[in-house]
Amino acid sequence: MTNNEDLELLDLVAPDFIKTLEKRFKILQSISLMEPVGRRVLADDLNITERGLRTETDLLRKQGLIVSSKSGMSLTHTGSDVVIRLTNVLADYQGTAILEKRLSEKLGISRCIVLPGNADKQYRVVDSFGRRLNQLLGSVLPNGQSMISVTGGSTLAQVARNLSPDLSKNRKLVFLPARGGVGESVTIQANSVCAEMALRTQGQYRAMYLPEDISEKSFESLQKETSIKSVLELIYRSDVVIHSIGTASVMAERRNLSAKEQKIIDNGEAVSEAFGDFFDQSGKLVYKVPRIGLHVRDLDKIKYVIAIAGGQSKAKAIQSYMKNAPHHTILITDEGASKLILRDNPLK
């Protein structure tokens, strides 16, 4: 029997057992995404009473799965291991596989990976994106050299911190910035994300210190610089591209656009941004920031394209951008975004 068939059999004979398992797993899962977390905040997140939660957490504490401190509850090492193992056991049973299939069909892309939680409310959901990306790259990358281009942004900066050295076993990984820098915090620029990914995986990286909004005329002279030219050539030969999807209003502000540019974006009712392109809800291009590096149109030629975005606030942006994404895109997202996207097309 498969794990799924075993659980269905248990549910038939002892339905209360499965309900209790799911309830306690959900508590452990939420603690893992919010730790350290107080009982009141956790009860609100799970929509249960503090009294009911106390009964369950007392039991989980006695089992050595959680610990409490002044800061709140956290998982023990055993508790973390249990969450990882139960996630795999319960995934099919809870309908995650069905949800992923429906989401990929609705978005018109090859694959969706849906992780628990809502990144808008649970900060560590983005950490789980990073760990899942690590697993995904480990399963698709061949031995030998692979070139991986990445964009910047706060999501990928956090994702980068969750990659691990095992990814470089029998591999030579080279991380590249998919574009020049933007007028934002240095820590979330593509160059910095590349450096962090290389550090975490014990790989290599190449930087491209080039303003993103540089004029075409200036670029003509700069591209003759050996360091810039060599990095650009590598970027266009990437084996993998990892990018985030931004909300148009947030990205317009982050890119320090002029009042004129901002007006074009506002009037065009843009809702998403990726690779400097702003799209409206129907996927129509509203505005294109003059830029150097990868464009959406270049993704068709790249073998693995991985988009990472989560939280209910990103649902509209994800739907908008995916109308332009290549079909072979793999989306890593969360329940918060996916369930909102599928709200008009609910699971049966």
Side-chain angles (χ1 to χ4, degrees):
M1 280 191 183
T2 64
N3 285 334
N4 195 31
E5 289 171 336
D6 289 341
L7 288 171
E8 287 175 351
L9 181 61
L10 283 171
D11 192 31
L12 184 65
V13 178
D16 289 344
F17 170 80
I18 294 294
K19 288 177 183 175
T20 301
L21 175 64
E22 289 184 309
K23 178 169 64 175
R24 290 176 185 164
F25 170 63
K26 192 69 177 175
I27 292 170
L28 290 171
Q29 201 175 56
S30 292
I31 293 174
S32 76
L33 296 173
M34 304 169 74
E35 63 183 349
V37 60
R39 188 182 292 121
R40 180 178 297 176
V41 173
L42 186 60
D44 286 344
D45 182 65
L46 294 167
N47 196 27
I48 59 178
T49 65
E50 282 191 63
R51 184 177 178 181
L53 180 62
R54 186 185 297 113
T55 302
E56 298 297 338
T57 53
D58 284 348
L59 186 144
L60 294 170
R61 192 178 297 108
K62 288 176 183 175
Q63 293 296 107
L65 301 177
I66 65 173
V67 290
S68 296
S69 66
K70 289 182 180 179
S71 302
M73 294 175 285
S74 301
L75 296 185
T76 61
H77 179 75
T78 303
S80 296
D81 185 53
V82 165
V83 168
I84 292 169
R85 292 168 68 182
L86 275 180
T87 297
N88 295 328
V89 170
L90 292 174
D92 285 346
Y93 181 78
Q94 293 181 321
T96 304
I98 297 171
L99 186 144
E100 290 175 343
K101 186 173 185 293
R102 293 289 294 274
L103 186 64
S104 62
E105 287 174 353
K106 181 159 188 178
L107 295 176
I109 56 175
S110 64
R111 184 180 177 192
C112 290
I113 297 169
V114 178
L115 297 175
N118 177 0
D120 292 340
K121 296 181 179 179
Q122 299 159 320
Y123 181 75
R124 284 190 170 84
V125 169
V126 181
D127 289 330
S128 69
F129 290 168
R131 292 190 293 272
R132 189 64 182 86
L133 173 66
N134 200 81
Q135 293 174 355
L136 178 62
L137 291 174
S139 67
V140 302
L141 292 180
N143 289 344
Q145 180 171 286
S146 287
M147 290 179 286
I148 304 170
S149 287
V150 300
T151 62
S154 55
T155 295
L156 288 194
Q158 189 175 339
V159 161
R161 295 193 289 271
N162 289 277
L163 299 186
S164 64
D166 63 296
L167 203 55
S168 285
K169 187 177 180 181
N170 300 319
R171 298 186 183 102
K172 180 183 178 182
L173 303 181
V174 182
F175 293 92
L176 307 159
R179 61 179 188 229
V182 248
E184 59 190 4
S185 169
V186 172
T187 57
I188 64 174
Q189 287 183 9
N191 282 323
S192 300
V193 174
C194 281
E196 184 69 20
M197 287 187 171
L199 176 68
R200 298 287 175 167
T201 62
Q202 297 179 0
Q204 300 176 347
Y205 78 97
R206 298 286 300 273
M208 183 169 63
Y209 297 107
L210 187 67
E212 186 180 59
D213 57 356
I214 193 169
S215 68
E216 194 170 329
K217 186 176 181 181
S218 298
F219 175 56
E220 286 175 8
S221 58
L222 276 172
Q223 69 177 341
K224 295 175 184 177
E225 294 287 334
T226 306
S227 60
I228 293 173
K229 184 179 180 181
S230 62
V231 176
L232 282 172
E233 287 175 350
L234 291 176
I235 289 169
Y236 289 112
R237 288 166 41 209
S238 296
D239 302 290
V240 183
V241 169
I242 303 167
H243 72 92
S244 56
I245 300 167
T247 304
S249 57
V250 173
M251 295 308 298
E253 184 177 342
R254 186 177 291 172
R255 292 182 185 283
N256 295 322
L257 299 184
S258 66
K260 182 181 178 182
E261 291 172 311
Q262 182 71 64
K263 188 175 181 181
I264 294 171
I265 290 168
D266 290 342
N267 290 345
E269 298 182 348
V271 296
S272 69
E273 184 275 345
F275 299 95
D277 290 349
F278 288 80
F279 303 101
D280 67 13
Q281 189 61 62
S282 67
K284 179 184 175 184
L285 181 65
V286 169
Y287 184 70
K288 191 179 192 68
V289 177
R291 56 178 311 286
I292 292 165
L294 286 178
H295 296 258
V296 175
R297 65 174 180 269
D298 299 317
L299 303 182
D300 285 328
K301 304 168 190 172
I302 292 168
K303 187 170 184 180
Y304 297 108
V305 178
I306 304 169
I308 303 178
Q312 292 180 326
S313 62
K314 289 283 184 77
K316 287 186 177 180
I318 291 170
Q319 290 183 85
S320 163
Y321 167 73
M322 287 302 167
K323 290 180 171 64
N324 292 277
H327 176 71
H328 65 284
T329 296
I330 299 171
L331 171 67
I332 298 178
T333 188
D334 59 18
E335 292 173 333
S338 59
K339 289 183 177 178
L340 195 55
I341 292 170
L342 289 169
R343 186 177 57 184
D344 299 326
N345 189 16
L347 297 177
K348 295 179 181 178

